[in-house]
Amino acid sequence: MSTDCTLAFDLPDGTVAEVAVTTLLNGGYAGRSQDDVAAHVRELAELGVPAPSVTPSLYPVSPYLAQQTSTVPAQHGRTSGEAEWALVVTGTDVLLTVACDHTDRALEVHGVAWSKNAGPDVLGRKAWRLSDVAERIDEIELTAWADGVEIQRGTLAELLTPQYWVDRLRDLGLLKPGTVLLSGTIPMHHGVEQFASKWRVELRDPATGDIIECAYEVTRLPEPIG
């Protein structure tokens, strides 16, 4: 049985890029500032997540979890998203879009890689060609809201660059059509409530005013029987 899925992205020139996802990867602890990385490690430590052995980290995720959806089912109340960008490799381009990595925090304490496979990576329905925004990548803004409250805000200057990950993918033999990579996240605001029922994440290019967003509602699954 195939586990890939096809995503479609509206591009600024009016064309649509379709991508059958064959490889999905989540970057982790990927801040350019080691202070930011340490802050994220502390955030996760408060949830009982052990520190990683290597940073940046890279977690393989089941390809079918790359989704463009407005609803995310959850088994319990301790799941949450993270504001990220994503690289999408097509047959002719590398695209940049917004993403929200929805993670099972209860499972995360037992294994980060496991938790990444317990929820979807929600991607935007629009994208930019990376080559079109590469020269101003650090100015692009990344913001997330949980239940309408701003929970994260920063710029891509806080994260390892898309070009860093392009080079890593090339080294790993994965810079090929169908690969999707999420960037890792920026620190959350102090004291926020992350176990929310509604999530929205956006990328904004200040040079053009263009915005790419993804938004979804978390719905609880029925209690198991048996």
Side-chain angles (χ1 to χ4, degrees):
M1 181 179 69
S2 173
T3 57
D4 68 359
C5 65
T6 298
L7 306 177
F9 299 95
D10 295 327
L11 302 179
D13 62 7
T15 62
V16 177
E18 291 193 351
V19 181
V21 181
T22 55
T23 301
L24 179 60
L25 301 164
N26 283 188
Y29 309 101
R32 277 191 239 176
S33 163
Q34 288 304 300
D35 290 340
D36 285 352
V37 172
H40 189 47
V41 170
R42 289 193 297 270
E43 287 170 358
L44 294 178
E46 292 175 1
L47 300 173
V49 181
S53 59
V54 175
T55 61
S57 305
L58 195 60
Y59 304 105
V61 180
S62 299
Y64 68 85
L65 291 174
Q67 298 179 14
Q68 292 168 313
T69 183
S70 59
T71 304
V72 169
Q75 291 183 311
H76 54 79
R78 291 185 64 81
T79 69
S80 64
E82 294 180 343
E84 307 200 11
W85 54 257
L87 291 179
V88 180
V89 185
T90 76
T92 57
D93 285 302
V94 177
L95 307 180
L96 180 73
T97 191
V98 72
C100 194
D101 168 17
H102 201 82
T103 300
D104 186 321
R105 302 301 180 187
L107 185 58
E108 194 171 36
V109 301
H110 302 288
V112 174
W114 293 349
S115 70
K116 299 297 185 186
N117 279 278
D121 287 336
V122 182
L123 286 85
R125 298 178 185 273
K126 295 171 53 180
W128 301 313
R129 291 181 175 87
L130 180 59
S131 58
D132 290 341
V133 297
E135 292 186 355
R136 56 181 185 275
I137 200 74
D138 285 358
E139 284 71 52
I140 292 176
E141 299 164 355
L142 179 63
T143 311
W145 295 264
D147 284 342
V149 177
E150 185 182 287
I151 193 170
Q152 293 172 281
R153 177 179 290 272
T155 68
L156 300 202
E158 298 179 47
L159 295 167
L160 292 172
T161 65
Q163 187 59 51
Y164 168 87
W165 288 112
V166 166
D167 293 341
R168 281 294 303 275
L169 291 175
R170 183 180 292 110
D171 291 343
L172 293 168
L174 293 173
L175 189 64
K176 56 187 179 182
T179 293
V180 175
L181 179 141
L182 273 66
S183 64
T185 195
I186 57 177
M188 289 188 180
H189 299 328
H190 181 70
V192 296
E193 174 54 60
Q194 64 175 295
F195 300 120
S197 61
K198 294 182 179 179
W199 282 83
R200 181 164 68 91
V201 182
E202 73 171 33
L203 283 178
R204 179 179 180 273
D205 183 355
T208 64
D210 195 16
I211 290 173
I212 303 176
E213 73 168 18
C214 64
Y216 60 89
E217 184 173 355
V218 181
T219 60
R220 288 286 294 273
L221 292 166
E223 292 297 319
I225 299 173

